[in-house]
Amino acid sequence: MSSEVSAGSSTPQEFVTRIGGRIRTLRKQRGWSVQRLAEAGGLSRRMLTDIELGQANPSLATVDRVARALDTDFAVLALPERGAPNEAHERVEGTAEGTLVWQAPDGSRALLLGATEDPRAELWRWTLAPGGRYDAEPDRPGAQEIHHVLSGRLTLTLPAGPRVLSPGQSAVIATDQEYAYTNDGTEPAVFVRVVAGA
C-alpha cells in the first residue's frame, strides 16, 4: 500500500514503534547494516535509523518500500502479531476492529483490518472527512485496488480523470500510476479498500 500522508496527518505512535522494531529485527536477521537496507529501500540512513527507533513519522509509501526491500509486505510490518500482549486491534467509533495506520486532524483515518500472504492482499476501512484528500504514490506494475463505498461519496482522482462513487458502488483501479482519494462532499466518505499485488 503505497501512499504519502497529507499535510497535517500523522502515523499513530503505536504503529510507528511497532514497525520500527520489526524492521530492525528483520534487518538484523538478514545480517544487513542500516546503510544496506536504506539503499535497498531508497531512503537515507538517518531516516531509517529514526524509523527503527520509532522517532520518525514515515509515509506509508516509505514503509512499503522498506518492506519490499526486506522481501516482505506492508501488512507483516503493520499488523499486531496474533496473541501478542499489548498488541490488540483498535476499535474506532464503533467500526470494525483494525490497526490504526493513518489519521488526520480532520478525522480522516485508515484502519488495516487484515491481510493474506499468498497471494498478498490487504483489507482496509477508510474514513475520509469532508474536504479530505489522500495522495498516493504508484505501486509496482500490475497492482490494483478495489473500493466499495459504504457511505458518503468518494472521488478517485486518476490520470484518465476522476471517478465518483456513491454508497453501494464499487470500482477497481490500477495503482501503478499516480492516484488520490478525495471527498468533495459534506459528509464523511467511508469505504472498504482491498489492495492486491502491491
Side-chain angles (χ1 to χ4, degrees):
M1 162 334 74
S2 299
S3 300
E4 288 292 348
V5 293
S6 304
S9 61
S10 65
T11 307
Q13 186 58 46
E14 180 181 331
F15 173 76
V16 170
T17 302
R18 179 185 308 131
I19 62 166
R22 290 194 180 153
I23 289 169
R24 183 175 50 253
T25 298
L26 291 172
R27 176 181 61 76
K28 287 183 175 182
Q29 285 174 353
R30 285 163 175 72
W32 286 9
S33 67
V34 171
Q35 185 65 40
R36 180 172 179 187
L37 179 55
E39 289 172 0
L43 62 158
S44 72
R45 183 184 54 77
R46 173 70 181 185
M47 172 60 95
L48 181 58
T49 299
D50 287 347
I51 291 170
E52 286 192 359
L53 294 173
Q55 297 173 350
N57 184 8
S59 70
L60 303 185
T62 297
V63 175
D64 200 38
R65 285 195 309 270
V66 173
R68 287 183 199 165
L70 290 167
D71 196 30
T72 190
D73 60 48
F74 185 92
V76 168
L77 298 179
L79 288 173
E81 294 180 34
R82 293 177 192 240
N86 303 320
E87 290 263 9
H89 280 339
E90 300 174 42
R91 185 176 297 278
V92 177
E93 291 182 13
T95 66
E97 291 183 359
T99 299
L100 182 62
V101 173
W102 172 80
Q103 61 188 356
D106 64 7
S108 297
R109 71 181 64 87
L111 290 170
L112 179 57
L113 302 177
T116 61
E117 291 182 22
D118 191 18
R120 290 180 177 173
E122 299 167 4
L123 177 63
W124 293 77
R125 181 183 174 105
W126 279 71
T127 301
L128 198 59
R133 180 180 174 97
Y134 189 90
D135 294 296
E137 289 183 1
D139 286 317
R140 65 181 72 186
Q144 295 182 312
E145 292 182 0
I146 304 169
H147 302 90
H148 179 78
V149 177
L150 301 173
S151 62
R153 289 173 42 124
L154 172 67
T155 300
L156 301 171
T157 304
L158 305 164
R163 290 183 71 180
V164 180
L165 302 177
S166 297
Q169 293 185 316
S170 301
V172 178
I173 65 167
T175 57
D176 54 0
Q177 60 185 335
E178 299 272 336
Y179 62 104
Y181 313 136
T182 59
N183 179 359
D184 300 322
T186 58
E187 63 179 275
V190 179
F191 60 100
V192 174
R193 173 178 177 252
V194 177
V195 179

